[in-house]
């Protein structure tokens, strides 16, 4: 083959496999990804989730938690949205995911339905979840940040993938930092992302060991790091939690429906709900950032937005190892 023809041949091969051929952009995320194929994607998602939040005010906090639980298990690929079947138990049915709010799932389904009517087989469920989370955080008063698009949805979702990838309420700071570090997140980013607990709620079982029989004491003995009046109020609220596991209380008792830095201010007052929350203020590795964010909401918003952008591109899939699902709760083809 002549040199010129050889050069053209390898140029074509490089062009093809780089994903530059139309419809094959598999690895590059961009805020303009849907500019031609679905130019109104962001306004459609915003409209749908805004209406959902107005109707069900817990949607925003639920979506934020759903997004985190999706991304930290195998990447931001909508694997947590898959419904289990007789052949496979999906991530959604892991014990730690059973309390993920139905309103959050419903918001994504509604946005996907609207987008399928407007731009069929185009927008991935993982992109919808990333956009919806950003919009809902902003609706509650939190920071607005850009979301690069082009994620593809996972081809698998397995319950066994969940354990060990998500922090639990009673983990030590060292254990939590280890989980985040394994995914490339710094201590400061851990604290910033923990600020998401400024909204939402937690079920009593997640902190019962702090308010009842703490360290093997009497039934009414609570964690001394808790504000006494707060601890007693929690004991009263959760009195029947063993018989009614749905009982829950707000993560931020002061401004539960507003995304702000009150979560960090609460920690210094003994008003942290979960053991892992309160531990942030007592550990020398994390306490400086808690103090910073408690005093400076602008710094918190900046660092939270930056950490969310970083999280949103963690472990994303391309067309080589993903797809654009037609329905967010099931794969396009039989898979696990």
């Amino acid at each position: 083959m002549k040199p010129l023809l050889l050069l053209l041949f390898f140029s074509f091969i490089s062009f093809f496999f780089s994903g530059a051929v139309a419809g094959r952009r598999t690895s590059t995320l961009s805020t303009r990804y849907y500019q031609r194929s679905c130019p109104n994607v962001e306004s459609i998602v915003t409209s749908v989730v805004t209406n959902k939040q107005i109707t069900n005010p817990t949607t925003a906090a639920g979506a934020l938690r759903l997004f985190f639980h999706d991304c930290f298990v195998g990447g931001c690929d909508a694997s947590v949205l898959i419904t289990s079947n007789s052949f496979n138990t999906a991530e959604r049915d892991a014990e730690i995911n059973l309390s993920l709010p139905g309103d959050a799932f419903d918001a994504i389904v509604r946005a996907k339905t609207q987008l399928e009517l407007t731009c069929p087989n185009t927008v991935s469920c993982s992109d919808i979840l990333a956009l919806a989370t950003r919009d809902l955080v902003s609706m509650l008063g939190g920071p607005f940040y850009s979301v690069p698009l082009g994620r593809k949805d996972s081809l698998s979702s397995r319950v066994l993938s969940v354990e060990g990838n998500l922090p639990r309420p009673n983990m030590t700071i060292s254990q939590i930092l280890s989980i985040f570090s394994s995914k490339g997140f710094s201590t400061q980013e851990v604290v910033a992302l923990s600020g998401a607990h400024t909204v939402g709620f937690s079920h009593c079982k997640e902190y019962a060991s702090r308010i009842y029989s703490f360290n093997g004491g009497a039934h009414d003995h609570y964690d001394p790091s808790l504000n006494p009046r707060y601890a007693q109020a929690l004991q009263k609220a959760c009195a029947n939690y063993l018989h009614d596991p749905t009982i829950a209380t707000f993560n931020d008792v002061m401004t539960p429906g507003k995304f702000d830095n009150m979560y960090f201010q609460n920690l210094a007052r003994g008003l942290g709900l979960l053991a892992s929350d309160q531990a942030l203020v007592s550990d020398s590795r994390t306490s400086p950032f808690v103090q910073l964010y408690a005093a400076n909401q602008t710094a918190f918003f900046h660092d939270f937005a930056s950490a969310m952008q970083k999280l949103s591109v963690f472990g994303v899939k391309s067309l080589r190892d993903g797809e654009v699902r037609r329905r967010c709760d099931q794969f396009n083809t039989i898979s696990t």
Side-chain angles (χ1 to χ4, degrees):
M1 188 177 288
K2 293 182 179 180
L4 179 58
L5 291 177
L6 193 63
L7 177 61
L8 290 173
F9 173 76
F10 282 109
S11 294
F12 171 75
I13 291 297
S14 176
F15 179 77
F16 183 81
F17 284 103
S18 68
V21 174
R24 296 276 301 173
R25 294 181 185 177
T26 60
S27 58
T28 303
L29 301 184
S30 168
T31 55
R32 300 163 66 87
Y33 187 85
Y34 296 110
Q35 184 177 20
R36 292 185 179 181
S37 60
C38 194
N40 295 322
V41 56
E42 294 201 34
S43 62
I44 291 172
V45 171
T46 299
S47 175
V48 171
V49 300
T50 297
N51 289 333
K52 178 66 179 178
Q53 174 67 15
I54 291 172
T55 305
N56 301 94
T58 61
T59 301
L64 189 54
R65 186 164 173 243
L66 183 64
F67 177 70
F68 182 85
H69 281 228
D70 179 50
C71 292
F72 253 42
V73 181
C76 302
D77 57 9
S79 54
V80 75
L81 303 181
I82 291 294
T83 300
S84 298
N85 56 37
S86 57
F87 304 102
N88 175 61
T89 303
E91 292 175 24
R92 188 169 177 171
D93 286 321
E95 182 270 333
I96 197 172
N97 286 336
L98 294 178
S99 61
L100 290 173
D103 284 329
F105 288 98
D106 185 57
I108 307 307
V109 169
R110 292 187 183 205
K112 176 64 170 176
T113 300
Q114 188 61 47
L115 285 165
E116 285 299 299
L117 294 174
T118 308
C119 318
N121 305 315
T122 301
V123 182
S124 67
C125 300
S126 45
D127 274 348
I128 295 171
L129 179 54
L131 285 171
T133 302
R134 185 274 310 275
D135 289 345
L136 288 164
V137 165
S138 181
M139 277 189 67
L140 296 185
F144 186 89
Y145 50 91
S146 61
V147 176
L149 304 170
R151 299 164 189 77
K152 297 300 178 284
D153 301 324
S154 72
L155 299 175
S156 66
S157 177
R158 300 183 178 90
V159 68
L160 294 179
S161 301
V162 177
E163 187 61 36
N165 280 303
L166 292 169
R168 291 181 175 271
N170 293 318
M171 280 185 171
T172 65
I173 292 298
S174 292
Q175 290 172 320
I176 292 173
L177 292 179
S178 177
I179 289 177
F180 276 83
S181 177
S182 70
K183 302 176 191 304
F185 290 87
S186 69
T187 298
Q188 183 162 6
E189 289 168 333
V190 172
V191 179
L193 289 172
S194 296
H197 283 176
T198 191
V199 294
F201 56 85
S202 296
H203 292 91
C204 294
K205 69 174 183 178
E206 296 175 325
Y207 56 87
S209 61
R210 297 191 73 201
I211 60 174
Y212 298 120
S213 305
F214 182 72
N215 281 351
H219 180 68
D220 63 352
H221 185 61
Y222 53 81
D223 183 345
S225 67
L226 283 167
N227 177 288
R229 291 179 62 186
Y230 182 50
Q232 291 161 12
L234 291 175
Q235 288 177 338
K236 184 176 180 179
C238 294
N240 201 39
Y241 87 96
L242 290 175
H243 301 287
D244 183 1
T246 65
I247 298 176
T249 59
F250 290 119
N251 292 327
D252 174 359
V253 69
M254 303 301 290
T255 56
K258 183 180 180 182
F259 196 99
D260 55 19
N261 68 336
M262 186 60 69
Y263 163 81
F264 296 105
Q265 296 179 37
N266 288 342
L267 297 183
R269 302 167 180 162
L271 301 177
L273 184 62
L274 305 176
S276 55
D277 290 330
Q278 197 62 47
L280 290 173
V281 77
S282 59
D283 191 286
S284 61
R285 293 166 292 182
T286 53
S287 60
F289 302 118
V290 172
Q291 294 168 17
L292 169 64
Y293 298 148
N296 190 333
Q297 180 168 280
T298 300
F300 166 49
F301 277 15
H302 175 274
D303 291 349
F304 179 81
S306 178
M308 285 294 285
Q309 287 177 312
K310 179 176 177 177
L311 177 59
S312 77
V313 299
F314 176 72
V316 297
K317 306 297 186 292
S318 69
L319 279 177
R320 291 186 296 272
D321 55 1
E323 64 181 3
V324 175
R325 291 186 204 137
R326 290 184 288 272
R327 285 183 47 165
C328 290
D329 63 346
Q330 64 183 36
F331 304 112
N332 292 342
T333 56
I334 296 176
S335 178
T336 58

